[in-house]
Amino acid sequence: MRNILADSSFCSRNSVVIKVFYVKKGQPIDMVFPLSKENIRGRFVNKVLELSGQDIFACYQCGKCSALCPSLERMDLLPNQLVRMVQFGREEVLGSKTIWICSSCFSCAVECPKGIDIASLAEALRLMQLRLNVDHLDLNKIPTEDLEELPPIAIVGGARKFTA
Amino acid sequence: MKFPYYPGCTLKAQAKNFEISALTTCAYLGIELEELDKWNCCGTVYSLATDDLMKQVAPIRVLIRAMEKGQNELVTLCAMCYNTLARANLLVRADEEKMEKLNSFMDDEPDYDGSVRVLHLLQVLKDIIGFEIIMQKVVRPLKGLRVSPYYGCLLIRPKGVAIDDPRDPRILEDLLSALGTDVIGTPERATCCGSYLTIDRKEVVADNAYRIIMASVERGAELLVTSCPLCFFNLDSRQKEAKKLHPEMKQVPIVYFTQLMALAFGLEDSLGFESHYVDPRPVLKEKGLLGGS
């Protein structure tokens, strides 16, 4: 799966086709997205740009981020696909596993030729969910024996990333 | 030589062995690490959101405590603390408006002026003491001990706060060579261990630990060396889960770089190996590097 890098996309006058490789299923799926000003410079995209502070539109899909990502196998959208979907204003990225699997290791950020930090993008997308006051992780469900074993940096770090 | 020192929460809990070995080896090298008075948690992870100033209050408050000491340096041991403090520092240095907002929010505190330089202990050892001097101070060279340095993420990424070249760091290798060890490099030395995912996705972290450790084992390493208490936990304790996923896995001890320094300096009382999940003592005894029991 690590060999599959960039998605290929095809634009027509009013729609864009993105090949999405779902890592688990292994089959490329064509997704047809309507192309409109509302999607590309809509509220969602603007919010992501503002929160992440990243120039998402600078991405030209070289795929280096996905080649380097240590968590790729567990993601449903590869990092470069996540960027692509955000460029097209696809709000369903908020439901992807990828944004919760990213452990902010900044491997992609170090190598991105356009200076984009995808960890910050994932953080922005997580926050858009968490700010609806929905926790991703219920701290009460962590078994007591785990809490006794886990170092405070793991608990505080996890709580900061996964709870509202 | 005296430095203000910020321990952070984990060095007072699971990583006591890191703190004790660091303080003892520093004292041996003539460095006094003076713990800040009244410090607070730095927040452990730097907030990546542009509008989330609230999460910068904690690290900036720590920097104010350091500023009050009148010395413009602050030494950290934990890689997560280092990263959070150094990035918060960069943020306010570059953004006057954010600095002002934070200062006016903390109006019971003296204003932070951006003057503190956050240092990781490895930088002090390399740039202020020098590995040459460290080599001269070694009383028991760790000859024949095959160790693999593991950087993790936060000491070398992102670029703005990297203590060494993010693509090809040498600082741990150089220190370990000065101690006399055989250094085993691996392609996984800076691959993320899974960090805070360990809180609810043990299997992910265990799998990463397996990959990182096996890369070292395959190249003949007997020990892995880290400088981050969360990497330490994920690589050491999560070997329990990793072994369940990969029964053929060879368990390998994980140590802090300060523990190997203490060993090489003959400071055996400050090693703290008893709290490790995988005990490093058998391999060290086998190599004749650890006396007594």
Side-chain angles (χ1 to χ4, degrees):
Chain A
M1 238 31 230
R2 277 170 186 256
N3 295 329
I4 298 173
L5 298 179
D7 62 2
S8 55
S9 55
F10 171 77
C11 283
S12 69
R13 189 172 303 193
N14 51 15
S15 69
V16 59
V17 180
I18 299 186
K19 274 197 192 307
V20 178
F21 292 88
Y22 279 94
V23 176
K24 282 259 166 64
K25 293 169 197 154
Q27 290 296 319
I29 300 164
D30 286 350
M31 296 177 84
V32 183
F33 299 143
L35 205 58
S36 68
K37 267 190 196 154
E38 289 71 45
N39 283 346
I40 292 181
R41 280 292 181 175
R43 226 185 119 258
F44 170 72
V45 177
N46 287 338
K47 188 77 198 163
V48 178
L49 292 180
E50 183 200 320
L51 264 182
S52 68
Q54 301 302 309
D55 184 8
I56 307 296
F57 288 101
C59 172
Y60 50 35
Q61 293 289 304
C62 75
K64 210 164 186 182
C65 48
S66 298
L68 286 161
C69 179
S71 304
L72 202 68
E73 295 134 56
R74 303 181 191 98
M75 290 177 169
D76 49 1
L77 283 174
L78 308 184
N80 66 300
Q81 293 172 338
L82 187 73
V83 178
R84 193 63 160 162
M85 303 262 290
V86 172
Q87 285 177 337
F88 286 111
R90 303 308 300 180
E91 282 196 51
E92 63 262 45
V93 295
L94 291 171
S96 79
K97 282 183 197 162
T98 298
I99 62 174
W100 303 104
I101 283 292
C102 169
S103 53
S104 316
C105 79
F106 305 107
S107 297
C108 52
V110 166
E111 296 295 342
C112 176
K114 303 300 285 182
I116 301 171
D117 172 17
I118 299 178
S120 294
L121 170 64
E123 179 119 326
L125 296 169
R126 283 194 299 267
L127 283 174
M128 286 169 77
Q129 313 254 68
L130 295 172
R131 286 181 185 181
L132 301 171
N133 214 11
V134 185
D135 287 342
H136 177 71
L137 169 71
D138 185 352
L139 291 170
N140 292 318
K141 284 193 181 142
I142 300 173
T144 317
E145 61 267 27
D146 284 5
L147 285 176
E148 281 167 4
E149 182 189 47
L150 284 163
I153 33 177
I155 300 170
V156 179
R160 284 217 152 175
K161 295 287 182 182
F162 299 143
T163 62
Chain B
M1 214 181 307
K2 202 168 167 181
F3 290 98
Y5 154 61
Y6 173 72
C9 49
T10 303
L11 275 93
K12 299 294 180 185
Q14 277 86 341
K16 276 188 190 129
N17 48 356
F18 189 12
E19 180 174 49
I20 292 165
S21 55
L23 295 181
T24 316
T25 47
C26 281
Y28 175 81
L29 293 170
I31 309 168
E32 191 192 333
L33 296 181
E34 193 187 26
E35 189 173 321
L36 296 178
D37 319 315
K38 226 179 75 178
W39 53 265
N40 53 270
C41 172
C42 65
T44 77
V45 282
Y46 176 73
S47 172
L48 301 171
T50 53
D51 67 346
D52 208 356
L53 265 194
M54 199 62 192
K55 292 209 172 86
Q56 310 300 350
V57 171
I60 297 301
R61 209 186 283 276
V62 171
L63 297 176
I64 293 173
R65 294 283 85 78
M67 187 181 74
E68 284 173 340
K69 289 271 180 188
Q71 191 174 341
N72 62 350
E73 279 147 332
L74 177 66
V75 174
T76 56
L77 295 176
C78 168
M80 294 184 85
C81 298
Y82 166 76
N83 193 280
T84 306
L85 296 173
R87 291 197 73 177
N89 204 21
L90 281 188
L91 176 82
V92 295
R93 278 179 181 179
D95 192 327
E96 217 173 292
E97 197 190 321
K98 283 184 175 155
M99 174 93 93
E100 258 178 54
K101 258 190 199 159
L102 284 161
N103 277 331
S104 66
F105 180 79
M106 292 184 276
D107 60 0
D108 55 332
E109 300 275 15
D111 278 358
Y112 182 55
D113 57 8
S115 63
V116 175
R117 191 170 159 232
V118 182
L119 292 170
H120 187 265
L121 179 61
L122 281 168
Q123 290 171 297
V124 176
L125 297 175
K126 178 175 172 257
D127 301 331
I128 299 172
I129 303 292
F131 292 152
E132 283 291 308
I133 303 289
I134 289 176
M135 201 192 296
Q136 290 164 18
K137 295 270 188 178
V138 169
V139 296
R140 183 199 277 151
L142 306 179
K143 285 257 178 309
L145 188 64
R146 296 195 299 272
V147 300
S148 214
Y150 176 71
Y151 287 88
C153 308
L154 297 178
L155 287 183
I156 51 167
R157 290 190 295 265
K159 282 173 202 157
V161 294
I163 67 165
D164 203 349
D165 182 345
R167 290 197 176 104
D168 186 23
R170 303 301 308 164
I171 193 165
L172 272 176
E173 278 87 345
D174 292 345
L175 172 65
L176 294 171
S177 300
L179 301 179
T181 65
D182 289 345
V183 182
I184 313 273
T186 86
E188 306 287 352
R189 68 196 171 125
T191 307
C192 183
C193 66
S195 186
Y196 47 78
L197 295 180
T198 201
I199 188 172
D200 71 328
R201 309 201 53 159
K202 285 183 198 178
E203 73 296 344
V204 168
V205 172
D207 219 35
N208 291 348
Y210 170 76
R211 191 163 64 195
I212 292 161
I213 292 167
M214 288 312 282
S216 298
V217 170
E218 282 161 9
R219 289 164 178 81
E222 296 157 316
L223 279 177
L224 267 79
V225 177
T226 178
S227 76
C228 169
L230 190 50
C231 297
F232 178 89
F233 175 80
N234 285 345
L235 295 184
D236 182 52
S237 299
R238 288 282 176 255
Q239 284 189 52
K240 190 165 50 181
E241 285 80 16
K243 183 95 181 150
K244 278 182 208 154
L245 293 170
H246 306 276
E248 82 290 357
M249 182 186 179
K250 184 180 179 251
Q251 301 218 306
V252 179
I254 313 295
V255 297
Y256 292 109
F257 66 94
T258 50
Q259 289 175 305
L260 285 190
M261 285 170 69
L263 191 64
F265 297 156
L267 309 166
E268 285 200 11
D269 291 344
S270 63
L271 293 170
F273 286 146
E274 54 288 332
S275 59
H276 294 223
Y277 173 70
V278 183
D279 193 342
R281 287 171 291 191
V283 63
L284 294 171
K285 277 184 191 162
E286 193 188 300
K287 298 268 162 179
L289 297 170
L290 193 65
S293 55

